[in-house]
Structures are given as C-alpha cells and as structure tokens.
Amino acid sequence: MTQAAPLTMGQQFGRRSWAEPWKIKMVEPLRMISRQERQAALSEAGYNTFLLRSDDVYIDLLTDSGTSAMSDRQWAGMMLGDEAYAGSRNYYNLESAIQSYYGYKYIVPTHQGRGAEHLISQAAIKPGQFVPGNMYFTTTRLHQELAGGVFVDVIIDEAHDSASLHPFKGDIDLDKLTALIERVGADKIAYVSLAGTVNMAGGQPVSMANVKALRGLCDRYGIKIYLDATRMAENAFFIQEQEDGYASTPIAAILREFCSYTDAAWMSAKKDSLVNIGGWLAVNDWDLFEELRNLVVVYEGLHTYGGLAGRDMEAMAIGIAESVQDDHIHARVGQVRYLGALLTAWDIPIVQPVGGHAIFLDARRFYPHIPQAQFPAQTLAAELYLDSGIRSMERGVVSAGRNKETGDHYYPRLELTRLTIPRRVYTQAHMDVVAEAVKTVYDARERTRGLRMVYEPKYLRFFQARFERLE
Ligand code: F0G
C-alpha cells in the first residue's frame, strides 16, 4: 500500500498553492466527546447520522446544505431586512440578482429547494408522464413521483462507475434520451430534468457541449429543459477548467451561458448561494410563471416572500453575487480536492474524479465483504462517527429507497458515503484530521460488520431509518 506523504495542491497541479480569499472574523468552538459517549450517541441514533445531535458531532460533514458561513456583507444585509408581508425591497434585490446571474425572466421564491421542486413538479407533470434526468436526486424524484411522473435515468454509463475518469460524468446520454422519446412519444415527456452538478454521482459536472446538444435534441421534439441549479456555480468551475474554449471565461459568464440553454430552473440556495435557508424557481415562460406564482401562495407564502423572511432574501441576493466569484469557487473546489488528494495518496477508494461539493467514499470497495443488503455505506458513516466524531452520510441503497411497484429496494450501482464540505467553514487542518480518521477506519475494515434496518419510514427513508449492528 502506498504511504507517500500527500502532495500540496501546488505540487499536485504543478503551480503555487492557493489560499481562501477571506479571513476568519468569528469562530464557533468545537467539542469532541469520548468514544464511550459516541458509542452511546450512535446507538441512541439507530446508527443513522441524521439522528445524531449536532452537539455530539466534532466535524460535521453531513451536508453542504445550509451549513455555509455567511460573509460580513451577508450579515450586514440581514440587518436590512424589509419584513413587509408584500413587496419587500429584499425580494426585488433577489429578483434582480437571479435575473442578472442566472438570466431567467420570472422569479418565485421558496423556502428551500424541495419547496421549488414541489411546485414545478405539480405545475409541469401530468400523471403518467415520464421525466428523464441525469441520475435521480432523492427529493427531486419524490416530488416528480408524487405529481404522477415516472423518473427515467438517462445519464451516461460512466456516471455509475466510481472509477471512470470521464471529466463530465454528469452528461446526459442523448441516445438513451432519444430512445425514450421514440418509445413513448414526445408528448409523454413532461420535461428533461437536468442537474448540474450531479449530487448522487459524486458531484459530477455536465459539460457545455452536452447541454448545447441537449438543447438541439429537445428543440427537435418540442421538449422543455428544466435545470436543478443547486450547484451550477460549481459546475461552471469544471467547465472553465476542463472544457475547450472556457479557460479564460469567468465563472459568472459560464453560468449564464449554461442557463441560457434551459427553459427554467429551480434552486436550493442553501448550497451554492451561501445561505442557511432559501430557494427559488425561475422561468422564462409567462404562463408557467403565472401558475407557479399562484401555487406558491398555497404551499409556501406570498409570491414576494415564498416562506422566507426579508432578511433571508437579502442574504441570498448577496450570496449569489459572492458565489460566482472565480477566487471563491477555486478555493471551494480546491478544498474538496485537497481532501481527495490525501485519501487518494493512501489508496482509499473514492469516486474519481473528485467532484464539486464532497468526497464520496466507495463503500463497495471499502467493505467488499459486506453485501449491499447489509448497508455498507451506512455502516461506514457509523464507523467514521464512532472513530472520530466526524459526521458523514449514506448515499447508497438506503438513500435509493424502494421501487413503488415491486416493493424491493432499489440497488444502485453506487454505494457511497459522502463527506460533504460546507463552504467557508473548515480549514485545511480539519481536512487532515478527516483524512486520518478515514484511514483509521479503512485499516480496521476487515473486522467491520454490516447493519440491519429495524425501522423504515415511508418517504425519504434515509433521513429517519434506524439500524442495528449485525453480530
Ligand atoms: N437538488 C439537489 C441537487 C440537492 O442536492 C438538494 C438538497 C435539493 C435539490 C433539495 O434542496 O434541501 O433545499 O430542499 N440536497 C441536500 C444534500 C439535502 O445534503 O445534498 P433542499
């Protein structure tokens, strides 16, 4: 096994190291409880990291959602909240930020991403219609199904292979999509559900060439493209770095160009946009906008606040502008890659290439002796917490849920444990500690046993399921 000292990022990429384009103004103390206390907390939580109390967590890599550190400017913006019920000035600031950075015409705010997914699914899917997309996402697919849609995965095959080095594993396979359209007919396709980057594939990007070609194909059949823009700023970074012709194009311009090939977008602003809560829908079609603007008052709140406080919308408007700065995105993805480089140097199996928001440990290769029905990725998340108080999450068979028709588990090819990096929160030293913890758990892998599920909720089971250790 290789034990080489990890390279600095500079050595890795043959250039000088980068540093974060900010300094720290306020800190939040961390605490690590004892191993005995961690074992008690883990049993209490049914071996599900979603059920731990955050006070019992040392380094929290559960998610990058709503966990970012806001800037001094965003906090200053919070003080400018106009908490009028209707027509808050912060709504108009948000509207113009989305129009100028994403380029869509009409905006509907929502409390977070799944609020937007609910509305777009209800408005745009007729029962029995198909919704092709580049790999499922948990809440996205659920809302599509609740609206009567049938999700069909049309991502390229490489996305399902954790070792494939394809630079754009988020791309749609246009042949798979064409075959679906030819089989069911264009009028049975609600829309193409395109996500950049693809969370469940490991934060993998979609290329500009792919979205352009997709636009051409969809125009031929009169099919709309709706974008999950949750991590599109990170997607733009990969286009800038990996795709011909974009090396000197700013992230902001790449983001706008990408969005211009799509008809509408929904957003969980809790990721790219550096806020703790918020989301939106944005569309170019007036009729669709009218319907969404009407639906939002049923489920979220008036169409000029959508479940948010004025101050939240202000923080989001400022966060959007910060999120597309090149130096911010370089440092953000750079930190994820730093952790990836440490683990790769120790031959620990992770999804390659490293994506935008997280390191995904490949639990199949980590625990080859644990069958998927004994939840290897869930087991790995539990072991990592036990070893060092680091919280990660399962992205495998538990997250995939059950097939509604047959009642069987979906068995995804990817059985992953996600170490998700919050934006602007942890330092390089934290990443070193995380890498060493993963190595310790890896070295003990042969002695590790799997889990059995003892409680399973009906929807999005990974959030609340409970497990016991197999003897
Ligand atoms: N789309 C993507 C790609 C997401 O990653 C998420 C959330 C959503 C939509 C839903 O947005 O949470 O604001 O309602 N992902 C989080 C995660 C939960 O941890 O990956 P939300």
Side-chain angles (χ1 to χ4, degrees):
M1 197 181 294
T2 334
Q3 290 286 349
L7 300 175
T8 65
M9 291 307 285
Q11 289 165 329
Q12 189 68 20
F13 296 105
R15 56 162 170 72
R16 296 189 60 177
S17 291
W18 51 270
E20 289 79 2
W22 40 259
K23 59 184 177 174
I24 296 166
K25 193 182 310 240
M26 190 188 281
V27 298
E28 182 180 340
L30 296 178
R31 181 176 82 111
M32 165 123 69
I33 58 176
S34 69
R35 186 178 176 99
Q36 210 176 6
E37 289 169 315
R38 292 199 296 277
Q39 179 57 70
L42 191 60
S43 310
E44 176 85 1
Y47 289 81
N48 185 345
T49 51
F50 277 102
L51 302 179
L52 290 166
R53 293 168 184 245
S54 81
D55 273 348
D56 294 336
V57 172
Y58 172 46
I59 297 176
D60 202 345
L61 306 185
L62 183 70
T63 176
D64 63 330
S65 182
T67 53
S68 296
M70 292 207 297
S71 67
D72 51 358
R73 279 148 217 253
Q74 285 177 290
W75 280 107
M78 296 285 279
M79 299 307 289
L80 301 176
D82 166 10
E83 306 306 342
Y85 188 90
S88 157
R89 94 171 67 86
N90 313 115
Y91 163 76
Y92 296 102
N93 291 344
L94 175 63
E95 180 187 48
S96 64
I98 297 167
Q99 286 168 338
S100 66
Y101 289 104
Y102 291 84
Y104 303 100
K105 283 193 202 147
Y106 310 115
I107 312 306
V108 176
T110 60
H111 79 282
Q112 60 180 73
R114 73 199 72 177
E117 292 172 336
H118 172 212
L119 303 183
I120 192 93
S121 303
Q122 293 294 329
I125 300 172
K126 294 193 202 80
Q129 278 189 319
F130 294 89
V131 189
N134 53 345
M135 199 173 272
Y136 86 100
F137 182 69
T138 54
T139 57
T140 316
R141 183 180 66 191
L142 178 62
H143 281 295
Q144 290 164 350
E145 288 175 353
L146 289 172
V150 181
F151 177 80
V152 183
D153 188 3
V154 292
I155 202 165
I156 57 171
D157 287 340
E158 287 87 341
H160 296 277
D161 174 0
S162 67
S164 159
L165 292 176
H166 192 295
F168 290 102
K169 283 162 95 173
D171 280 357
I172 285 194
D173 184 328
L174 299 177
D175 293 335
K176 284 186 197 169
L177 178 58
T178 309
L180 175 73
I181 300 169
E182 292 293 329
R183 182 164 64 80
V184 303
D187 56 334
K188 290 282 274 177
I189 307 284
Y191 53 87
V192 172
S193 179
L194 177 69
T197 58
V198 180
N199 194 350
M200 303 302 278
Q204 302 297 324
V206 180
S207 64
M208 195 72 88
N210 190 245
V211 70
K212 268 194 224 179
L214 178 66
R215 178 76 273 167
L217 176 66
C218 287
D219 283 349
R220 280 203 292 289
Y221 289 100
I223 294 171
K224 303 283 188 208
I225 304 171
Y226 296 163
L227 176 68
D228 181 341
T230 298
R231 296 184 184 85
M232 258 317 296
E234 289 167 5
N235 197 106
F237 167 83
F238 291 98
I239 291 174
Q240 187 188 57
E241 187 189 63
Q242 306 279 338
E243 201 163 348
D244 283 347
Y246 289 94
S248 51
T249 312
I251 295 293
I254 295 173
L255 175 65
R256 252 203 90 140
E257 184 189 337
F258 195 102
C259 292
S260 76
Y261 300 120
T262 69
D263 300 288
W266 68 87
M267 180 77 182
S268 170
K270 300 170 72 172
K271 284 78 165 178
D272 267 357
S273 309
L274 301 159
V275 285
N276 305 121
I277 195 74
W280 46 261
L281 279 161
V283 306
N284 290 330
D285 180 88
W286 174 264
D287 293 336
L288 178 59
F289 170 61
E290 249 202 323
E291 186 163 356
L292 295 168
R293 184 180 61 175
N294 194 209
L295 272 180
V296 76
V297 300
V298 180
Y299 295 105
E300 303 273 312
L302 192 71
H303 58 281
T304 54
Y305 77 84
L308 297 164
R311 56 179 172 268
D312 298 326
M313 293 190 282
E314 191 63 27
M316 213 192 312
I318 299 168
I320 289 171
E322 292 180 1
S323 74
V324 300
Q325 301 306 311
D326 285 52
D327 55 359
H328 160 71
I329 282 285
H330 286 213
R332 191 295 184 269
V333 181
Q335 186 179 43
V336 177
R337 285 179 168 173
Y338 175 79
L339 177 57
L342 295 177
L343 297 174
T344 305
W346 282 325
D347 290 335
I348 292 171
I350 64 173
V351 173
Q352 301 282 5
V354 169
H357 66 301
I359 296 299
F360 289 73
L361 302 170
D362 185 347
R364 274 180 194 278
R365 285 188 282 150
F366 208 100
Y367 292 136
H369 58 289
I370 302 182
Q372 204 172 9
Q374 295 176 8
F375 313 113
Q378 188 80 29
T379 304
L380 179 48
E383 290 301 319
L384 205 52
Y385 173 73
L386 196 57
D387 178 78
S388 359
I390 291 164
R391 172 152 69 174
S392 56
M393 86 151 82
E394 196 263 9
R395 296 273 79 154
V397 63
V398 185
S399 293
R402 285 185 193 275
N403 183 314
K404 259 196 333 205
E405 315 282 87
T406 64
D408 294 339
H409 293 303
Y410 286 115
Y411 285 102
R413 246 176 93 191
L414 294 176
E415 177 71 23
L416 309 174
T417 303
R418 188 179 74 173
L419 300 164
T420 338
I421 317 297
R423 295 165 187 79
R424 307 193 296 206
V425 171
Y426 291 112
T427 66
Q428 196 153 312
H430 289 115
M431 296 302 112
D432 293 338
V433 168
V434 171
E436 288 161 20
V438 174
K439 170 93 166 71
T440 305
V441 171
Y442 190 58
D443 290 343
R445 62 193 180 278
E446 281 163 18
R447 299 191 293 281
T448 305
R449 298 284 158 269
L451 298 169
R452 98 189 131 91
M453 202 190 290
V454 292
Y455 166 69
E456 178 176 358
K458 187 163 159 207
Y459 300 113
L460 302 175
R461 62 185 186 177
F462 58 96
F463 284 128
Q464 291 151 343
R466 301 184 65 85
F467 302 83
E468 279 171 7
R469 215 192 261 291
L470 287 167
E471 284 321 316

